[in-house]
Amino acid sequence: MRDVTLSVVHNLSWTELKPYAVSLFRSSCASDLKVIIVTPVTSAEVRENFTRLGFMLVESPMPTENPIQWDEWGWLRFHEAAKFLRSSSESFRYVMWTDARDVVFQSNPFTWLENNLSPFKMAIAGLGHAVKDCPQYNDPWVKAVAGPSYDRIREFEALACGTFGGEALLMREMFEDIYDGCRSRPTTVRLPHPQGVTDQGVFNVLAHEMYAASTKIPRPKEGFAAQWWPSKSSWPEVFKHEGLPLFDSANGIVYAPETFVPYSVVHLYDRDPLWVTIMRDKYK
């Protein structure tokens, strides 16, 4: 069975997407299926370049543009990913789900899963701090959906719904549960940041409850995925006792602490303008 990477893009330029696409092209095996789900506003340039690099383009509807609930697109994308897996005539071994605008691959993530996932079925990248220590984002997101479990879950590490992978069936079920969990809850959202029901809030509750027994949260030294940018290391709330990602700006590589292996995936690098330039120069 083949492995498949999945991402959904909407209204992004090729300049923004090129590091994701080129790094995945360089890192993947020829047998891996690279799927990019696009919306009607995806430009011809983006479509042509993804096709040139061997990606399968899957069409999805235009998301509802709701200025009060703009975060709806965050969870509608998981519906599109689940729909692709349900409708595919092919059975897959592993699925790797990531964002696209702020992600690069430094090695094949399926090699990491093959060597490190067992006995678990899904690997989810942590953000390096507790839910409760993110009062602007993760803590209110979890509070909006966790109910009586909130006080317990907020003590756990916050998890990123933009980087996780695992066995195909469980991944599809997670996609469906994120979508259903968001859709079933009425929400009001205060701009500029959503404070109601979000994909990442539901995802953290699912990962720390329903999926906990099947989920591996790799530690930094294991080199799965860095959810990081250089200045984040100075935050007082991050887990410094486990070591911090090492940023090699000369070579455009992010290394895991202790083991000094390049992370397979780097996420959130675009919070640092210098690293946007580094990644765009490296992956062109």
Side-chain angles (χ1 to χ4, degrees), residues 191-235:
L191 299 178
H193 302 299
Q195 298 298 319
V197 177
T198 63
D199 52 357
Q200 191 148 302
V202 171
F203 176 71
N204 271 267
V205 173
L206 289 168
H208 287 305
E209 289 198 323
M210 184 187 306
Y211 289 85
S214 303
T215 296
K216 177 185 179 76
I217 302 173
R219 305 326 307 152
K221 68 180 180 181
E222 295 182 85
F224 174 54
Q227 321 298 303
W228 223 266
W229 62 99
S231 65
K232 184 178 175 180
S233 296
S234 65
W235 291 9

Side-chain angles (χ1 to χ4, degrees), residues 91-113:
S91 295
F92 299 105
R93 180 182 63 154
Y94 293 134
V95 174
M96 186 70 199
W97 164 269
T98 69
D99 292 344
R101 188 202 72 239
D102 55 0
V103 166
V104 297
F105 294 85
Q106 299 189 133
S107 65
N108 190 324
F110 301 119
T111 302
W112 192 97
L113 291 172

Side-chain angles (χ1 to χ4, degrees), residues 20 77 119 122 125 155 164 185 201 208 216 282 284:
Y20 164 84
R77 59 191 177 139
M122 184 163 54
E155 299 294 330
F164 63 104
R185 293 174 169 89
H208 287 305
K216 177 185 179 76
K282 181 171 184 175
K284 61 184 179 181

Side-chain angles (χ1 to χ4, degrees), residues 3 9 51-52 67 83 89 98 102 126 131 134 209 220 276-277 283:
D3 302 319
V9 299
T51 301
R52 176 178 57 82
K83 184 167 69 175
S89 60
T98 69
D102 55 0
V131 170
C134 186
E209 289 198 323
V276 172
T277 299
Y283 299 108

Side-chain angles (χ1 to χ4, degrees), residues 8-18 36-52 57-60 62:
V8 181
V9 299
H10 170 59
N11 205 26
L12 294 171
S13 69
W14 180 240
T15 298
E16 293 171 296
L17 293 168
K18 189 186 297 183
I36 195 78
I37 301 174
V38 298
T39 66
V41 296
T42 302
S43 71
E45 181 186 22
V46 167
R47 292 168 182 269
E48 290 165 4
N49 279 292
F50 271 120
T51 301
R52 176 178 57 82
L57 270 63
V58 175
E59 299 292 334
S60 69
M62 176 74 75

